[in-house]
Amino acid sequence: MTGLIVGEPDQTGALAGSGEQWTRRYTHAVMDTFGPPQRVLVRGDGVWVWDADGKRYLDLLGGIAVNVLGHAHPTLTAAVSAQLGTLGHISNFFASPTQIALAETLLDIAAAPEGSRVFFTNSGAEALEAAVKLTRRHSAASRPRLLALEGAFHGRTLGALALTHKAAYREPFEPLGSQVEFLPFGDLEALRAAFATDGDQVAALVAEPVQGEAGVRPLPDGYLAEARRLTSEHGALLVLDEVQSGIGRTGRWFAHQQSGLGGGVVPDVVTVAKALGAGFPVGALIAYGPSVAGLLGRGQHGTTFGGNPVAAAAGLATVGVIERDGLLAHVTELGEAWRTALRDLRHPLVSEVRGLGLLIGVELAAPVAAAVATRALDAGIIVNAATPTTLRLAPPYVLTSDETELFTRFLGNLPADPEELR
Ligand SMILES: *Cc1c(COP(=O)(O)O)cnc(C)c1O
């Protein structure tokens, strides 16, 4: 027995151990859904984390696009601690000033029209679940069609999973609640064709402005504008999943606010999560305008934890620091310069560098992304193989130019021959 752990880990010694010891304990106690952990991490500071053996890593994944202020940011820590020390949880029978202020802040940065409303969740998948339920209310029986895109990732709960394209994630759990039609990614002709027949039976089109899990794939310019035109014409909802791309990740508050990507498009629903709490779990659904906001009425949806004062304080602190420290402009400039530097390597293994802001996909000329990510980890850099051929970078917004160079140099030093990486 490890004993009850109370207070500081050092007081009991129960949280001491080497990476190898921890990994063994992990495999005996934690369900094997993720496979063995790559490292056991014990501490973070800014863009750096340390493992149980004291080794330091540059964190260019940021907990999968979450830790936008880096680790242990003093403002976030203070805001969460102060709120937990004042009023931690109250249920949604009651409201808190932090919850109300965060809802107002989200509507503000979303430039949502009068009558828009927010529903808070604890995760991305839960925000998508709320969106699916809202869509059902819109559809009634007359709109059975739900459209999503090939490559889409919307989460692992049953409603969100129905919208997720990857067969390995979805098929073992079918039948799911919704029958979803997947359209070829970014294909305008296919989009028009989907509405040309029975277009009035479409309840909603759900899309990520930049597909994250699929390997950082931004929708082509003009696609969202056409999606908005067609959904409006046919009375369908346009649901944008910004769980990964939202809250400054691309250099704008929301990716669909990027001029080429969707500039000017007013969606019906936007989902956010990952970056919103900068490491504290919080998600939200934003419903645009009174008719969409009214689709989920009293008693039609709920949550115990969603929008709790601590999560809301984390959200407010995150948005506040991004604004105070000018991080949107920093994300835009640093991301642009980094992509240029990565392209300028002209490394034979790198076939494309794409993305917006600090959501970057490095496409490799061979399916060796996992091997490269492992090699990076050994070299003290955390990146992620989003697909067999794509490395994903989704680092904290507080990353500096010098730190980006550590990865650029690592990539530049990789062998040109993929065989040497297998
Ligand atoms: C991560 C993600 C989700 C799921 O969020 P969870 O918090 O893991 O449930 C949904 N949509 C997109 C686009 C995501 O990247």
Side-chain angles (χ1 to χ4, degrees), residues 123-125 128 153-155 208 213 241 243-244 274:
S123 68
L128 267 296
F153 181 85
H154 296 295
E208 301 152 86
E213 299 306 299
D241 182 353
V243 166
Q244 187 155 165
K274 291 190 167 85

Side-chain angles (χ1 to χ4, degrees), residues 149-154 160-170 182:
L149 302 187
E150 288 180 4
F153 181 85
H154 296 295
L161 188 58
L163 294 162
T164 292
H165 181 240
K166 195 170 178 173
Y169 291 171
R170 181 169 37 83
F182 291 99

